[in-house]
Structures are given as structure tokens and as C-alpha cells.
Amino acid sequence: MPAWLVYGVLALSFAALVFSLHTLYQVRRSARETIANWKRAEESWKAAERDWTKVAEINKQIAEMRRSRRRG
């Protein structure tokens, strides 16, 4: 087997390894970002639920005040 062929195959193998490692790094980074975004979305959802509960309570109080004024 000619030496240039051996070195060519070795160089291509090394390039494939570097590309694979780079891809693995990118996938891991993307996964970390996705998990962080998911956690932020969960926190935002919980905050929205808390706000919605507060608004519902305030609306309930307003309705009770209006009813008590009508009875008055």
C-alpha cells in the first residue's frame, strides 16, 4: 500500500474524529441551552399562574364589593 494512501486515510480519519468531537460539543451545548430555556419557561409559567390567581382573587373581591353596595 502506498504511503500517500496510508497518510491520506489517516488524515481523513483524524478530520472525521475532529468533526465528530465538534458536533458532540455543539449537541451538548444545545442540550444545556434547551434545558435552561425549559426551566425559565417553567418558572415563567408558575409566575403567570400566581398572577392569574391574584387577579382572580381581586376580581372576586370587586364582585363582592359591588354586591354589598347593591344590597346596601
Side-chain angles (χ1 to χ4, degrees):
M1 193 180 279
W4 63 268
L5 184 60
V6 172
Y7 289 121
V9 169
L10 186 60
L12 286 175
S13 297
F14 182 75
L17 177 63
V18 169
F19 179 76
S20 296
L21 291 175
H22 176 72
T23 303
L24 177 64
Y25 173 77
Q26 294 296 327
V27 167
R28 287 182 63 200
R29 186 170 62 97
S30 177
R32 278 193 223 112
E33 289 174 358
T34 300
I35 290 168
N37 288 340
W38 183 266
K39 287 180 181 177
R40 279 195 297 272
E42 281 183 326
E43 291 168 4
S44 176
W45 182 266
K46 288 176 185 175
E49 283 181 327
R50 285 191 301 272
D51 291 346
W52 184 256
T53 303
K54 288 178 188 174
V55 168
E57 185 62 34
I58 291 168
N59 286 340
K60 183 178 174 184
Q61 291 172 358
I62 291 170
E64 288 174 0
M65 287 172 48
R66 286 181 180 165
R67 273 189 237 118
S68 67
R69 284 184 188 164
R70 289 182 190 156
R71 291 182 198 156

